[in-house]
Amino acid sequence: MSVVVGWSLVVLAVLVVAGLVGYAWRLWREVQRREAAQREELARAHRNCLESLEAIATAMLGDQVDLVEGALRCKVLLDIIDPALLEREDFNVFAEIYRRTEHLHTHSSRQDLSAKQRFAEDRERIALQEERYAALHEAARQVLAFKREWPQGWQ
C-alpha cells in the first residue's frame, strides 16, 4: 500500500469518526430536548391536577358537591399525581369510597336502570356519605394542605 493510499484511508477514517461523533452529539441533544419537554408536561399535569384538587376539596368543605362524587374525583387526581398518595392515611378514605362504590352504575349505564334501582343506588351513596362525612371533610382539608405544601419547583 502506498503512502498516499494510507493517508487517504486515515483521512477517510477521521471523517467517518467525526461524522459519527457529530451525529451522536445531535442525537444526545434531541434526547435532552425530549426529556425537558417530558418534565414540563409532567409539571403541567401536576399543576392542573393540583388546581382541580383544590377546587374539588373547597367545594367538598362547603358542601357544594356530593361528597362521594368529590372523593371519587380526588382519588383519580391523586392517582394521576402519584398512586402512592392514596396509601397515605390522610387520603385513604378516597380509595375506600372508590372500593365501596365501584359496583354502582354511572353515566349512561345509570340511565338504563329503573327508577327504583336508581333510587336504591342513591340511598346507598347517601348512606355512605353520611357514614364517612367527617372523614371526607378531613380528607378534603388534607388535600388543601397537600396542595399548599407541594414543592414550588413543580408548580
Side-chain angles (χ1 to χ4, degrees):
M1 168 172 3
S2 73
V3 174
V4 173
V5 172
W7 279 110
S8 296
L9 290 175
V10 167
V11 169
L12 180 63
V14 167
L15 290 175
V16 168
V17 169
L20 289 173
V21 166
Y23 183 64
W25 184 71
R26 199 170 110 214
L27 288 176
W28 179 80
R29 278 191 9 217
E30 179 63 19
V31 166
Q32 296 301 312
R33 186 191 66 76
R34 287 184 185 191
E35 286 175 351
Q38 187 177 24
R39 282 190 302 274
E40 177 54 36
E41 179 63 24
L42 182 61
R44 188 178 64 74
H46 284 167
R47 280 192 305 273
N48 290 342
C49 286
L50 289 167
E51 289 170 11
S52 295
L53 277 168
E54 181 179 37
I56 293 167
T58 301
M60 287 174 71
L61 289 172
D63 290 325
Q64 299 168 338
V65 66
D66 178 83
L67 293 181
V68 171
E69 178 66 24
L72 295 174
R73 291 177 185 268
C74 285
K75 184 249 184 230
V76 169
L77 292 167
L78 289 168
D79 206 22
I80 290 170
I81 293 172
D82 183 359
L85 288 171
L86 292 169
E87 296 171 10
R88 286 176 50 170
E89 188 175 333
D90 296 338
F91 302 140
N92 66 8
V93 70
F94 298 139
E96 174 195 344
I97 295 293
Y98 175 79
R99 282 190 303 277
R100 291 178 64 181
T101 60
E102 64 184 332
H103 68 281
L104 299 176
H105 295 82
T106 60
H107 307 298
S108 62
S109 66
R110 181 172 162 76
Q111 293 173 355
D112 296 337
L113 298 176
S114 70
K116 186 176 180 178
Q117 291 170 318
R118 276 196 306 274
F119 184 69
E121 287 194 0
D122 289 344
R123 276 198 329 250
E124 190 174 343
R125 283 185 183 90
I126 291 168
L128 181 58
Q129 177 174 306
E130 289 173 356
E131 175 188 335
R132 302 300 287 154
Y133 184 86
L136 287 167
H137 270 247
E138 181 56 31
R141 279 190 281 283
Q142 293 304 317
V143 164
L144 294 176
F146 171 75
K147 199 256 184 202
R148 280 191 307 273
E149 296 166 4
W150 184 258
Q152 294 300 314
W154 287 94
Q155 294 185 6

